[in-house]
Short mmCIF file of all heavy atoms in Angstrom, two decimals:
data_model
loop_
_atom_site.label_atom_id
_atom_site.label_comp_id
_atom_site.label_asym_id
_atom_site.label_seq_id
_atom_site.Cartn_x
_atom_site.Cartn_y
_atom_site.Cartn_z
N LYS K 44 20.71 -9.46 0.59
CA LYS K 44 20.36 -8.39 -0.40
C LYS K 44 20.83 -7.04 0.04
O LYS K 44 21.24 -6.79 1.23
CB LYS K 44 18.81 -8.38 -0.50
CG LYS K 44 18.10 -8.03 0.73
CD LYS K 44 16.56 -8.26 0.66
CE LYS K 44 15.93 -8.02 2.00
NZ LYS K 44 14.50 -8.33 2.03
N PHE K 69 19.85 -15.59 -0.15
CA PHE K 69 18.92 -14.79 -0.93
C PHE K 69 19.34 -13.36 -1.19
O PHE K 69 19.96 -12.75 -0.36
CB PHE K 69 17.56 -14.75 -0.10
CG PHE K 69 16.75 -15.92 -0.15
CD1 PHE K 69 17.00 -17.04 0.76
CD2 PHE K 69 15.74 -16.13 -1.08
CE1 PHE K 69 16.23 -18.20 0.77
CE2 PHE K 69 14.94 -17.24 -1.10
CZ PHE K 69 15.17 -18.35 -0.16
N VAL K 70 19.20 -13.01 -2.51
CA VAL K 70 19.47 -11.61 -2.82
C VAL K 70 18.15 -11.08 -3.54
O VAL K 70 17.17 -11.83 -3.74
CB VAL K 70 20.56 -11.44 -3.77
CG1 VAL K 70 21.89 -11.85 -3.02
CG2 VAL K 70 20.48 -12.26 -4.97
N ALA K 71 18.07 -9.74 -3.87
CA ALA K 71 16.96 -9.17 -4.46
C ALA K 71 17.07 -9.17 -5.97
O ALA K 71 16.12 -9.44 -6.75
CB ALA K 71 16.70 -7.78 -3.97
N TYR K 72 18.25 -8.93 -6.49
CA TYR K 72 18.52 -8.74 -7.93
C TYR K 72 19.47 -9.80 -8.42
O TYR K 72 20.36 -10.19 -7.79
CB TYR K 72 19.07 -7.33 -8.20
CG TYR K 72 18.09 -6.23 -8.06
CD1 TYR K 72 17.93 -5.56 -6.79
CD2 TYR K 72 17.23 -5.78 -9.11
CE1 TYR K 72 17.05 -4.56 -6.62
CE2 TYR K 72 16.32 -4.77 -8.95
CZ TYR K 72 16.20 -4.14 -7.70
OH TYR K 72 15.28 -3.16 -7.56
N PRO K 73 19.25 -10.11 -9.74
CA PRO K 73 20.15 -11.11 -10.31
C PRO K 73 21.61 -10.57 -10.37
O PRO K 73 22.57 -11.31 -10.31
CB PRO K 73 19.67 -11.40 -11.73
CG PRO K 73 18.68 -10.26 -12.00
CD PRO K 73 18.17 -9.84 -10.67
N GLU K 74 21.79 -9.29 -10.52
CA GLU K 74 23.14 -8.71 -10.56
C GLU K 74 23.78 -9.01 -9.16
O GLU K 74 25.02 -9.24 -9.11
CB GLU K 74 23.12 -7.18 -10.79
CG GLU K 74 22.70 -6.77 -12.26
CD GLU K 74 21.26 -6.76 -12.51
OE1 GLU K 74 20.47 -7.26 -11.56
OE2 GLU K 74 20.79 -6.32 -13.65
N GLU K 75 23.01 -8.80 -8.09
CA GLU K 75 23.55 -9.08 -6.77
C GLU K 75 23.96 -10.63 -6.67
O GLU K 75 24.98 -10.93 -6.08
CB GLU K 75 22.50 -8.80 -5.72
CG GLU K 75 22.21 -7.30 -5.53
CD GLU K 75 21.15 -7.05 -4.43
OE1 GLU K 75 20.22 -7.87 -4.32
OE2 GLU K 75 21.27 -6.10 -3.76
N GLY K 76 23.08 -11.49 -7.33
CA GLY K 76 23.38 -12.89 -7.27
C GLY K 76 24.64 -13.27 -8.09
O GLY K 76 25.46 -14.08 -7.66
N TYR K 93 19.34 -17.71 -4.30
CA TYR K 93 17.97 -17.41 -4.75
C TYR K 93 17.82 -15.88 -4.98
O TYR K 93 18.43 -15.07 -4.30
CB TYR K 93 16.93 -17.78 -3.72
CG TYR K 93 16.93 -19.25 -3.34
CD1 TYR K 93 17.82 -19.81 -2.43
CD2 TYR K 93 15.94 -20.11 -3.99
CE1 TYR K 93 17.72 -21.22 -2.17
CE2 TYR K 93 15.91 -21.42 -3.69
CZ TYR K 93 16.80 -21.93 -2.81
OH TYR K 93 16.68 -23.30 -2.47
N VAL K 94 17.04 -15.51 -5.93
CA VAL K 94 16.80 -14.08 -6.31
C VAL K 94 15.36 -13.77 -6.12
O VAL K 94 14.45 -14.30 -6.90
CB VAL K 94 17.29 -13.82 -7.76
CG1 VAL K 94 16.98 -12.41 -8.09
CG2 VAL K 94 18.76 -14.25 -7.97
N PHE K 95 15.03 -12.98 -5.20
CA PHE K 95 13.63 -12.61 -4.83
C PHE K 95 12.87 -11.97 -6.05
O PHE K 95 11.73 -12.38 -6.36
CB PHE K 95 13.51 -11.58 -3.71
CG PHE K 95 13.75 -12.13 -2.35
CD1 PHE K 95 14.67 -11.50 -1.54
CD2 PHE K 95 13.15 -13.27 -1.96
CE1 PHE K 95 14.94 -11.98 -0.22
CE2 PHE K 95 13.44 -13.76 -0.61
CZ PHE K 95 14.24 -13.11 0.20
N ASN K 96 13.53 -11.04 -6.78
CA ASN K 96 12.86 -10.57 -8.05
C ASN K 96 12.98 -11.52 -9.15
O ASN K 96 14.14 -11.74 -9.61
CB ASN K 96 13.54 -9.19 -8.41
CG ASN K 96 13.29 -8.09 -7.30
OD1 ASN K 96 12.60 -8.28 -6.34
ND2 ASN K 96 13.98 -6.97 -7.48
N GLY K 97 11.95 -12.09 -9.52
CA GLY K 97 11.99 -13.15 -10.51
C GLY K 97 12.55 -12.69 -11.84
O GLY K 97 12.98 -11.62 -11.98
N PRO K 98 12.80 -13.64 -12.74
CA PRO K 98 13.39 -13.39 -14.04
C PRO K 98 12.61 -12.50 -15.03
O PRO K 98 11.34 -12.62 -15.04
CB PRO K 98 13.71 -14.80 -14.58
CG PRO K 98 12.49 -15.59 -14.03
CD PRO K 98 12.20 -15.07 -12.69
N LEU K 99 13.30 -11.72 -15.73
CA LEU K 99 12.73 -10.95 -16.85
C LEU K 99 13.47 -11.35 -18.09
O LEU K 99 14.57 -11.91 -18.02
CB LEU K 99 12.99 -9.45 -16.65
CG LEU K 99 12.38 -8.87 -15.41
CD1 LEU K 99 12.88 -7.49 -15.15
CD2 LEU K 99 10.86 -8.83 -15.46
N THR K 102 17.01 -10.30 -18.04
CA THR K 102 17.93 -10.82 -17.01
C THR K 102 18.10 -12.32 -17.06
O THR K 102 18.85 -12.82 -16.31
CB THR K 102 17.51 -10.42 -15.60
OG1 THR K 102 16.20 -10.93 -15.30
CG2 THR K 102 17.37 -8.86 -15.36
N MET K 103 17.49 -12.93 -17.92
CA MET K 103 17.52 -14.37 -18.05
C MET K 103 18.97 -14.87 -18.10
O MET K 103 19.31 -15.86 -17.53
CB MET K 103 16.75 -14.86 -19.25
CG MET K 103 16.29 -16.26 -19.23
SD MET K 103 15.12 -16.61 -17.84
CE MET K 103 13.54 -16.31 -18.58
N PHE K 106 20.81 -15.11 -14.86
CA PHE K 106 20.32 -16.27 -14.04
C PHE K 106 21.16 -17.53 -14.53
O PHE K 106 21.61 -18.35 -13.76
CB PHE K 106 18.83 -16.46 -14.22
CG PHE K 106 18.01 -15.61 -13.27
CD1 PHE K 106 17.56 -14.44 -13.74
CD2 PHE K 106 17.80 -16.07 -12.01
CE1 PHE K 106 16.85 -13.53 -12.89
CE2 PHE K 106 16.95 -15.19 -11.15
CZ PHE K 106 16.56 -14.02 -11.59
N LEU K 111 21.74 -19.11 -10.88
CA LEU K 111 20.88 -18.52 -9.81
C LEU K 111 19.48 -19.15 -9.89
O LEU K 111 19.01 -19.55 -10.92
CB LEU K 111 20.83 -17.01 -10.08
CG LEU K 111 22.05 -16.23 -10.26
CD1 LEU K 111 21.79 -14.77 -10.59
CD2 LEU K 111 23.00 -16.36 -9.02
N ILE K 112 18.80 -19.25 -8.73
CA ILE K 112 17.51 -19.78 -8.62
C ILE K 112 16.54 -18.58 -8.52
O ILE K 112 16.56 -17.96 -7.57
CB ILE K 112 17.38 -20.74 -7.44
CG1 ILE K 112 18.43 -21.84 -7.55
CG2 ILE K 112 16.02 -21.35 -7.36
CD1 ILE K 112 18.41 -22.78 -6.35
N PRO K 113 15.64 -18.48 -9.52
CA PRO K 113 14.69 -17.40 -9.39
C PRO K 113 13.56 -17.72 -8.46
O PRO K 113 13.13 -18.89 -8.26
CB PRO K 113 14.18 -17.35 -10.86
CG PRO K 113 14.18 -18.72 -11.35
CD PRO K 113 15.44 -19.32 -10.67
N VAL K 114 13.15 -16.64 -7.80
CA VAL K 114 11.87 -16.71 -7.02
C VAL K 114 10.82 -16.23 -7.94
O VAL K 114 10.67 -15.04 -8.28
CB VAL K 114 11.89 -16.01 -5.71
CG1 VAL K 114 10.61 -16.09 -4.92
CG2 VAL K 114 13.05 -16.53 -4.80
N ILE K 115 9.96 -17.16 -8.49
CA ILE K 115 8.96 -16.81 -9.44
C ILE K 115 7.79 -16.08 -8.69
O ILE K 115 7.33 -16.53 -7.62
CB ILE K 115 8.36 -18.13 -10.07
CG1 ILE K 115 9.56 -18.95 -10.74
CG2 ILE K 115 7.19 -17.89 -10.98
CD1 ILE K 115 9.91 -18.55 -12.16
N ASN K 116 7.34 -14.98 -9.28
CA ASN K 116 6.32 -14.19 -8.56
C ASN K 116 5.00 -14.11 -9.28
O ASN K 116 4.06 -13.46 -8.79
CB ASN K 116 6.85 -12.76 -8.39
CG ASN K 116 8.05 -12.72 -7.36
OD1 ASN K 116 7.82 -13.24 -6.34
ND2 ASN K 116 9.13 -12.22 -7.81
N ASN K 117 4.85 -14.70 -10.48
CA ASN K 117 3.55 -14.71 -11.17
C ASN K 117 3.56 -15.80 -12.31
O ASN K 117 4.55 -16.39 -12.60
CB ASN K 117 3.16 -13.31 -11.62
CG ASN K 117 4.21 -12.76 -12.62
OD1 ASN K 117 4.68 -13.45 -13.50
ND2 ASN K 117 4.60 -11.52 -12.37
N GLN K 120 5.95 -15.13 -15.30
CA GLN K 120 7.35 -15.48 -15.08
C GLN K 120 7.46 -17.03 -15.03
O GLN K 120 8.43 -17.56 -15.62
CB GLN K 120 7.79 -14.99 -13.71
CG GLN K 120 8.10 -13.46 -13.76
CD GLN K 120 8.59 -12.95 -12.37
OE1 GLN K 120 8.58 -13.71 -11.44
NE2 GLN K 120 8.96 -11.76 -12.33
N TRP K 124 10.01 -19.01 -17.56
CA TRP K 124 11.15 -19.77 -16.95
C TRP K 124 11.03 -21.10 -17.43
O TRP K 124 12.04 -21.75 -17.82
CB TRP K 124 11.08 -19.60 -15.45
CG TRP K 124 12.28 -20.40 -14.80
CD1 TRP K 124 12.05 -21.58 -14.26
CD2 TRP K 124 13.58 -20.04 -14.70
NE1 TRP K 124 13.37 -22.05 -13.79
CE2 TRP K 124 14.29 -21.09 -14.09
CE3 TRP K 124 14.29 -18.88 -15.09
CZ2 TRP K 124 15.64 -20.97 -13.77
CZ3 TRP K 124 15.70 -18.88 -14.82
CH2 TRP K 124 16.36 -19.89 -14.19
N ALA K 134 12.07 -21.35 -7.26
CA ALA K 134 11.25 -21.18 -6.04
C ALA K 134 10.01 -20.43 -6.47
O ALA K 134 9.98 -19.75 -7.61
CB ALA K 134 12.06 -20.44 -4.97
N HIS K 136 7.08 -17.68 -4.95
CA HIS K 136 6.56 -16.83 -3.83
C HIS K 136 5.09 -16.72 -3.96
O HIS K 136 4.58 -16.27 -5.03
CB HIS K 136 7.23 -15.52 -3.99
CG HIS K 136 6.97 -14.48 -2.77
ND1 HIS K 136 7.72 -13.32 -2.53
CD2 HIS K 136 5.98 -14.62 -1.82
CE1 HIS K 136 7.23 -12.78 -1.48
NE2 HIS K 136 6.14 -13.54 -1.06
N ARG K 143 2.30 -7.44 -1.82
CA ARG K 143 3.55 -6.80 -2.30
C ARG K 143 4.08 -7.64 -3.42
O ARG K 143 3.74 -7.35 -4.59
CB ARG K 143 4.40 -6.63 -1.20
CG ARG K 143 5.70 -5.84 -1.42
CD ARG K 143 6.57 -5.83 -0.27
NE ARG K 143 7.26 -7.09 0.03
CZ ARG K 143 8.37 -7.22 0.79
NH1 ARG K 143 8.84 -6.21 1.41
NH2 ARG K 143 8.89 -8.41 1.01
N LEU K 144 4.75 -8.62 -3.22
CA LEU K 144 5.37 -9.48 -4.23
C LEU K 144 4.80 -10.86 -4.02
O LEU K 144 4.50 -11.32 -2.91
CB LEU K 144 6.84 -9.46 -4.06
CG LEU K 144 7.77 -9.76 -5.25
CD1 LEU K 144 7.49 -8.81 -6.45
CD2 LEU K 144 9.22 -9.66 -4.81
N GLY K 145 4.68 -11.64 -5.13
CA GLY K 145 4.23 -13.05 -5.03
C GLY K 145 3.03 -13.31 -5.84
O GLY K 145 2.26 -12.40 -6.16
N MET K 166 7.52 -20.25 -1.04
CA MET K 166 7.67 -19.39 0.16
C MET K 166 6.56 -18.31 0.16
O MET K 166 5.94 -18.12 -0.74
CB MET K 166 9.03 -18.64 0.01
CG MET K 166 9.23 -17.89 -1.25
SD MET K 166 10.69 -16.75 -1.15
CE MET K 166 9.88 -15.34 -0.46
#
Side-chain angles (χ1 to χ4, degrees):
K44 62 191 177 187
F69 281 85
V70 293
Y72 287 92
E74 289 84 352
E75 295 179 319
Y93 296 85
V94 179
F95 284 131
N96 295 353
L99 300 169
T102 59
M103 202 63 94
F106 280 91
L111 309 176
I112 303 175
V114 180
I115 304 278
N116 292 306
N117 57 47
Q120 285 181 354
W124 180 260
H136 188 162
R143 188 182 67 166
L144 203 57
M166 58 166 272

